[in-house]
Amino acid sequence: MPGIERTLSIVKPDGVEKGVIGDVLTRFERAGLKIVAARMVQLSVSEAGGFYTVHRERPFYGELKEYMASGPILVLVLEGENAVTMTREIMGATDPREAAPGTIRADHAESIERNVVHGSDSPESAAFEIPYFFPEIEVYSY
Ligand code: CMP
């Protein structure tokens, strides 16, 4: 279907800890995105590093890996029209101080690291991130 995309989203350890999984899922579903895969997992530091390998040269990489491995996360595949952009709009800017009012990060995030959710930043990133967690057979088509 033209325009239909998939993107990877994660409710990060702070989002799970704060009890906002339901709120995050509701916002995605209300926007018309379908949850086509979901899994709760606690990553090892090295698994978190593999996921964020694109940031391996950045000064925050070490802390980011540790943080993402610090508790359970909910990993999701979302499907819908312009799913990558749509998900990023619903989440708001990476830094919650810059996130538009009414977005997930404006409402729930406390810092750039503890920013509640992740979403693929492009279809190319989604093409790497989705199979990092889900084999094709675990992503539903309905
Ligand atoms: P995310 O969208 O998951 O992608 C990379 C993550 O690195 C980002 O959200 C932030 O939570 C985290 N991060 C930590 N420090 C920084 C920083 N200074 N700039 C950008 N991202 C950062």
Side-chain angles (χ1 to χ4, degrees), residues 103-114:
T103 58
I104 293 171
R105 285 165 171 161
D107 289 346
H108 297 303
E110 43 191 278
S111 68
I112 197 163
E113 181 168 87
R114 293 173 65 84

Side-chain angles (χ1 to χ4, degrees), residues 7-129:
T7 189
L8 189 97
S9 180
I10 298 177
V11 183
K12 297 185 179 188
D14 60 307
V16 174
E17 202 179 296
K18 286 191 183 90
V20 298
I21 289 176
D23 183 55
V24 170
L25 298 190
T26 298
R27 290 178 194 230
F28 289 148
E29 288 191 319
R30 285 214 179 118
L33 293 164
K34 284 181 183 166
I35 297 162
V36 292
R39 184 150 71 92
M40 185 160 252
V41 63
Q42 181 157 2
L43 299 177
S44 67
V45 173
S46 109
E47 287 166 341
F51 178 72
Y52 279 121
T53 190
V54 66
H55 296 302
R56 65 191 173 279
E57 308 294 342
R58 310 285 286 273
F60 57 82
Y61 182 59
E63 278 180 20
L64 176 61
K65 285 190 290 185
E66 296 281 345
Y67 168 61
M68 287 301 284
S70 68
I73 58 174
L74 184 73
V75 192
L76 307 163
V77 179
L78 304 172
E79 186 179 86
E81 216 161 304
N82 299 314
V84 171
T85 307
M86 175 89 78
T87 300
R88 292 181 71 76
E89 281 177 15
I90 297 165
M91 293 189 306
T94 307
D95 185 340
R97 290 170 301 188
E98 290 162 17
T103 58
I104 293 171
R105 285 165 171 161
D107 289 346
H108 297 303
E110 43 191 278
S111 68
I112 197 163
E113 181 168 87
R114 293 173 65 84
N115 66 352
V116 182
V117 272
H118 166 83
S120 306
D121 66 5
S122 63
E124 295 71 32
S125 297
F128 166 76
E129 293 179 357

